[in-house]
Amino acid sequence: MVNLAVYRQRVQQASLLRQIGVVTKVVGLTLEVKGFKPFVGEVCMVDVPGSQPIVAEVVGFREDVVLLMPYGELTGVCPGCRVEPRRRAFTVRVGEHLLGRILNGLGEPIDGRSLPRGIPMPVNNRPPSPLARRRIDRVFATGVRAIDGFITCGRGQRLGIFAGSGVGKSVLLGMIARFGSADVNVIALVGERGREVLEFIEKDLGPEGLQKSVVVVATSDEPALLRLRAAFVATTIAEYFRDTGRDVLLLMDSVTRFALAQREVGLAVGEPPTTRGYPPSVFALLPRLLERAGNSESGSITGFYTVLVEGDDMNEPVADAVRSIVDGHIVLKRELAVANHYPAIDVLASVSRLMPSVVTPEHRQAAGRQRELMAAYRQAEDLINIGAYVAGSNPTIDRAIAVHDQINGFLRQGPDEYTAYDEAVERLLSIERG
């Protein structure tokens, strides 16, 4: 006999009336809608006369007015347009078929090939429980000597790459994606120039890097909500591969443009600007995004997040907030880039908080001693350059001068020059031994 209780319960819980809202006003980036009661984050379809419906998301309320922001252009929207809620939050379909593919901020393909339907996953997942995170005790090899030698990263660690414009952060990301010891790369290009996307994929990432990567793109000309979603979509895809037991590398360029997109959304719905024009929601959203990377019981997500510092100001609000959340920072210096020193990593201004937990004591001591010598050379550099320093005056400076060229040779590395982790450590130790 068929048990009808389950079906009876479904019928009783089913909503037999479909709520439809209507557009009453368009203000800047937002749609004001009346006539229905959706929840924040709900996906809605806006009917546009003579055109395809526009996908929009509920971002807030103002008394009986619902505020929506579109994932596309508002062209064609007029007063009275019907708005139908979909009774679900935004999801992205994930699966193994995403490897080697290029997606937009909604998780749809933009590389001209169809995409099989995968498993739907909500993009607004919570970070793993603090007690469910495995400790970080293994090295994540990047293939970049300056990082592996002096700013060693652990599997599941999150590092910020802080740089001004035009100092080589895209090239450095491409090197880490190609040479890194991850099973899968997930790369989010948030707010990038349209010209730079194909250039990064073909030049910096290359065919061998793309093979094991998923690239999510939302260029600077796209709506703010789409740029926000691109960061969350990429993180959700990385979480899927982590849950299958793999070590994932998540590269995001850039967190600053993610924060600027949230600033647009916050100001559009009426949030007050506080710190240098950023509303409070920006600083609430950053940890929700960054804390999702890390180790789980099955796999890991190692995150590298670029931060575009305005005017090379390392203490501007977004840079300061990101630095307080992540597990270390890599600083790219314009002075080094101008001197043709690539990658332009300022080792003395960079730090990995987990390096002591993942490297050998011998490696840690050698890196520490070479840092001391680099610091001594930098302090005496002006005297050395004008010939005012007298050899023998200070043994530390004498040693710093002796190894200066060797350290610079170690730190400089071509974009196509791969160095294995063990080889990088051995080269560092050989400099130490003299």
Side-chain angles (χ1 to χ4, degrees):
M1 183 177 178
V2 179
N3 183 6
L4 299 178
V6 175
Y7 300 99
R8 188 179 297 111
Q9 184 180 9
R10 289 182 184 176
V11 171
Q12 290 171 350
Q13 293 176 348
S15 177
L16 303 179
L17 297 176
R18 187 174 62 172
Q19 290 185 339
I20 300 293
V22 292
V23 175
T24 59
K25 189 188 294 185
V26 176
V27 181
L29 304 173
T30 59
L31 295 168
E32 293 191 2
V33 181
K34 288 185 176 181
F36 70 143
K37 296 180 179 180
F39 57 86
V40 173
E42 183 171 353
V43 175
C44 299
M45 302 299 293
V46 182
D47 290 334
V48 179
S51 183
Q52 292 292 323
I54 295 173
V55 184
E57 183 177 310
V58 178
V59 293
F61 306 98
R62 189 179 296 126
E63 296 179 353
D64 61 339
V65 175
V66 180
L67 303 177
L68 281 77
M69 291 195 76
Y71 289 132
E73 298 296 331
L74 287 173
T75 306
V77 175
C78 59
C81 284
R82 289 158 46 96
V83 181
E84 182 179 347
R86 287 303 178 91
R87 297 302 175 200
R88 62 174 178 83
F90 183 73
T91 60
V92 61
R93 294 188 173 272
V94 297
E96 299 294 326
H97 59 276
L98 294 178
L99 287 173
R101 304 302 303 272
I102 305 167
L103 314 175
N104 65 11
L106 298 177
E108 299 167 343
I110 57 172
D111 53 8
R113 294 182 289 153
S114 61
L115 194 67
R117 293 179 67 83
I119 305 165
M121 285 184 68
V123 298
N124 289 319
N125 290 329
R126 297 290 302 168
S129 164
L131 299 181
R133 294 177 183 263
R134 287 183 292 110
R135 290 186 60 189
I136 297 173
D137 54 9
R138 294 183 299 154
V139 169
F140 179 87
T142 64
V144 180
R145 290 192 296 268
I147 298 176
D148 289 345
F150 289 97
I151 322 161
T152 313
C153 178
R155 289 185 185 268
Q157 185 172 349
R158 300 155 304 157
L159 279 166
I161 299 176
F162 295 78
S165 57
V167 295
K169 64 180 182 304
S170 294
V171 176
L172 179 60
L173 287 181
M175 292 173 69
I176 296 171
R178 290 196 310 275
F179 303 151
S181 57
D183 301 319
V184 175
N185 300 328
V186 180
I187 303 166
L189 303 178
V190 180
E192 287 294 296
R193 303 175 186 90
R195 172 190 62 81
E196 293 180 333
V197 173
L198 191 61
E199 184 178 313
F200 176 82
I201 292 170
E202 293 184 348
K203 180 183 174 184
D204 297 327
L205 185 59
E208 70 278 11
L210 182 60
Q211 252 183 353
K212 65 171 187 176
S213 302
V214 184
V215 183
V216 181
V217 177
T219 52
S220 59
D221 60 304
E222 295 187 283
L225 201 59
L226 198 59
R227 282 176 269 144
L228 278 178
R229 283 289 159 262
F232 285 110
V233 164
T235 305
T236 303
I237 293 170
E239 287 171 333
Y240 163 77
F241 286 109
R242 176 180 64 184
D243 292 344
T244 62
R246 280 176 272 197
D247 292 316
V248 182
L249 171 63
L250 175 61
L251 301 174
M252 190 170 295
D253 187 15
S254 70
V255 175
T256 304
R257 295 192 175 108
F258 168 84
L260 290 173
Q262 178 58 28
R263 181 168 72 175
E264 289 183 42
V265 173
L267 295 177
V269 299
E271 272 194 273
T274 52
T275 310
R276 291 201 196 175
Y278 288 99
S281 62
V282 171
F283 304 103
L285 200 61
L286 283 172
R288 283 178 49 197
L289 174 71
L290 301 176
E291 284 288 349
R292 287 172 63 176
N295 285 342
S296 69
E297 295 177 350
S298 52
S300 70
I301 298 175
T302 304
F304 285 82
Y305 301 88
T306 68
V307 180
L308 188 62
V309 291
E310 298 178 7
D312 295 335
D313 178 11
M314 293 299 298
N315 295 313
E316 61 94 24
V318 173
D320 200 41
V322 172
R323 191 166 55 244
S324 70
I325 297 168
V326 295
D327 307 311
H329 51 273
I330 298 170
V331 177
L332 304 188
K333 245 344 187 352
R334 191 172 303 278
E335 290 82 355
L336 294 174
V338 168
N340 197 35
H341 180 119
Y342 289 102
I345 298 174
D346 184 355
V347 170
L348 294 180
S350 306
V351 66
S352 169
R353 295 176 183 169
L354 292 170
M355 180 176 175
S357 302
V358 297
V359 302
T360 63
E362 188 181 18
H363 179 184
R364 184 174 67 252
Q365 291 164 9
R369 282 192 290 265
Q370 297 308 314
R371 278 177 176 270
E372 291 172 8
L373 295 178
M374 283 188 281
Y377 187 92
R378 182 172 295 184
Q379 289 174 353
E381 189 169 11
D382 291 340
L383 294 175
I384 295 168
N385 289 338
I386 65 174
Y389 176 74
V390 179
S393 301
N394 186 313
T396 303
I397 296 177
D398 291 341
R399 173 65 178 157
I401 295 171
V403 300
H404 178 68
D405 290 340
Q406 286 181 280
I407 294 175
N408 271 346
F410 176 85
L411 296 177
R412 288 185 175 184
Q413 186 172 347
D416 299 317
E417 183 186 351
Y418 166 71
T419 303
Y421 175 77
D422 291 339
E423 181 185 346
V425 174
E426 183 54 39
R427 283 187 59 175
L428 181 65
L429 294 175
S430 68
I431 296 173
E432 172 64 17
R433 298 183 194 112

